[in-house]
Amino acid sequence: MTVPDIKILNRSPEKIIYCVEETIYGPMMIGACDEGICWAGFDIDGAVMRARFAQAQFIEVTSINMQQSLAVCGTPFQISVWRFLLTIAHGRTQTYGDIAKYIQRPNAHRAVGSAVGANPISGFIPCHRVVPSHGGVGHYLWGTQKKAELLNKEALLS
């Protein structure tokens, strides 16, 4: 599995181009700055993206290069969690506790959950592949039904 390149931003992007693109997960709002893709979400109207990057200038385009680097702005802890998420293969899941142990913060499963929830690039950084240890699919910004749908789709494609 090829893990995409992540560029770490020192601050939130000032200008974001955006459009709705068809992905393996269905239509998604994709946002990109000069450094790479900085947003991917199921907010087809862009409302969540605009709230997340409230200070940015937004420019609608007809398509975005989906093969570019990912560009994120986060704490070192968040970035370590997001990098781990990139290693979870299609059709597989990990628990919040598993991730906490892997990043050598074994008691930080709640902080891992917060970092997973702060992921700005759904699908590309596959936060939907993280589940609670007690079963079920857990929380997801786009709803538990959407998370279950993504996991089921990936299981079928694996």
Side-chain angles (χ1 to χ4, degrees):
M1 176 180 124
T2 303
V3 176
D5 181 37
I6 293 185
K7 293 184 179 175
I8 310 304
L9 305 178
N10 293 326
R11 64 179 195 271
S12 196
E14 294 177 6
K15 181 179 82 171
I16 297 173
I17 62 169
Y18 70 94
C19 70
V20 175
E21 291 279 1
E22 191 59 42
T23 71
I24 62 169
Y25 304 114
M28 294 182 79
M29 176 62 69
I30 307 295
C33 59
D34 291 339
E35 293 82 3
I37 294 173
C38 61
W39 179 260
F42 295 98
D43 59 326
I44 302 306
D45 65 356
V48 179
M49 176 183 66
R50 288 178 183 280
R52 172 77 180 243
F53 300 106
Q55 302 302 315
Q57 172 192 6
F58 292 92
I59 301 166
E60 187 171 9
V61 295
T62 56
S63 72
I64 289 177
N65 173 8
M66 302 286 275
Q67 302 304 313
Q68 60 186 307
S69 296
L70 305 179
V72 295
C73 184
T75 67
F77 181 82
Q78 288 173 324
I79 291 165
S80 70
V81 170
W82 298 338
R83 284 188 191 281
F84 180 83
L85 297 181
L86 291 169
T87 69
I88 305 172
H90 282 260
R92 303 282 190 173
T93 59
Q94 293 285 330
T95 68
Y96 299 98
D98 291 337
I99 296 170
K101 289 174 192 164
Y102 181 83
I103 64 170
Q104 300 178 355
R105 300 281 301 274
N107 297 320
H109 59 277
R110 286 195 174 118
V112 167
S114 293
V116 169
N119 169 27
I121 313 175
S122 297
F124 292 80
I125 299 176
C127 55
H128 63 279
R129 296 182 190 150
V130 184
V131 296
S133 59
H134 57 75
V137 297
H139 298 286
Y140 191 54
L141 175 62
W142 313 110
T144 55
Q145 182 176 348
K146 185 61 155 179
K147 185 173 182 177
E149 175 188 313
L150 298 177
L151 292 171
N152 289 335
K153 180 180 260 186
E154 287 186 347
L156 292 172
L157 295 173
S158 297

